[in-house]
Amino acid sequence: MLNAIVDGLWREGDKSLAVRLVAENGDALPAWQPGAHIDVHLPCGVVRQYSLTGDCGEESYLICVGREAASRGGSRYVHETLRPGQRLSISAPRNLFPLHQAERVLLLAAGIGITPLYAMALHLKAIGTPFTLHYYVRSRESAAFARELSQCADCVIHTTSPRITLAEHLPAPEAGLHAWMCGPAGFMAKAREVAAAKGWDDAHIHSEAFQPVAPPAAGDAGEIFTVKLASTGERWPVPADKTIAQVLQENGVDVPLSCEMGICGACLTPVIDGVVDHRDSVQSDAEKSAANQQVALCCSRSHSRELVIGL
Ligand code: FES
């Protein structure tokens, strides 16, 4: 954990608030790469994950928080209570959405999904990789970083519905072209649908969800199975109304948890044996079906009677 101070707060568009954080001791905060996020422990008692945005060469951190009508506490606290000079505990950056080597890059952002992609755009520009950023917003007034983006020839802000214009903006696939996308689940589903129709290879599309997967319906919480620690051979049943993480914690096992919604990756743990019922939205479909898999202990379950994990 790091102790940070709110060094600046300002509006980005009419729906978002930018927050600049500096280290309390005056040191540079740990280095990060575009796509990284931090956990922010808010004084209202909730922990939220926010993408780092802006220039990744800065010694301070910049996050941008959208105002959510149905806020579960984090957005409302940041918009209504957080003040400059306030102290916050934050985690070191964690990157589950990294930029990979690519000859050309397409960036697709919707709403507050602009935050990691704005950092990517600045980085790509700095290293000279050709890219185009399409940023979809309901109105020009709601766009974050509108002034900076309007000065970038490779960045376009759209107020048209992506459902209608994505097909026009998403080019045909090319060998060296990769896409990174971030936004609401519906936006990304549509973008993937359009890309698939154009023949894009799934491995060239990289995405990050800002919404947790829908929780299982009542009565669909899953069967009882057993979780076993590979290191000690200890095993415990996981009832339908508890997560693997809860069962492990009840038995004194230290589990790294953060979002507890399957969206941050803090609890991903290697699977040694068994068939995972993946319920997180952190991992790609390819990762969820790879030979070496990880399980999100906060939300995923098991299709097999026993799941052996690398703890
Ligand atoms: S704690 Fe965030 S994915 Fe499990």
Side-chain angles (χ1 to χ4, degrees), residues 2 31 44 49 76 94-95 120 144 146 149 156 161 207 214 222-223 228 239 255 309:
L2 307 164
C44 60
Q49 290 72 44
R76 190 184 318 138
R94 187 184 307 127
N95 200 343
M120 289 181 182
L149 293 172
V156 194
S161 167
S207 61
E223 299 295 319
K228 178 179 171 183
V255 181
I309 59 174

Side-chain angles (χ1 to χ4, degrees), residues 215-224 239-242 277 279 301:
D220 179 34
E223 299 295 319
I224 295 177
D241 62 346
K242 288 188 178 166
D277 174 5
R279 299 189 178 191
R301 301 189 68 79

Side-chain angles (χ1 to χ4, degrees), residues 38-109:
I38 55 170
D39 297 343
V40 177
H41 295 249
L42 293 166
C44 60
V46 301
V47 182
R48 290 290 178 267
Q49 290 72 44
Y50 296 113
S51 292
L52 293 174
T53 191
D55 180 356
C56 63
E58 294 280 335
E59 295 187 342
S60 56
Y61 291 163
L62 182 65
I63 59 174
C64 189
V65 181
R67 178 180 271 283
E68 295 170 27
S71 170
R72 291 178 295 119
S75 163
R76 190 184 318 138
Y77 183 89
V78 170
H79 277 258
E80 297 178 4
T81 309
L82 196 67
R83 291 291 176 266
Q86 201 167 325
R87 186 177 178 208
L88 291 176
S89 291
I90 62 175
S91 72
R94 187 184 307 127
N95 200 343
L96 297 164
F97 186 43
L99 269 174
H100 305 292
Q101 189 74 32
E103 288 172 31
R104 285 172 306 289
V105 170
L106 177 69
L107 302 173
L108 299 173

Side-chain angles (χ1 to χ4, degrees), residues 37 39 49 94 96 245 255-268 280-282 295-300:
H37 70 266
D39 297 343
Q49 290 72 44
R94 187 184 307 127
L96 297 164
V255 181
L257 287 175
S258 181
C259 71
E260 299 187 56
M261 293 188 296
I263 60 174
C264 79
C267 66
L268 287 175
D280 66 276
S281 57
V282 172
V295 55
L297 300 176
C298 68
C299 61
S300 292

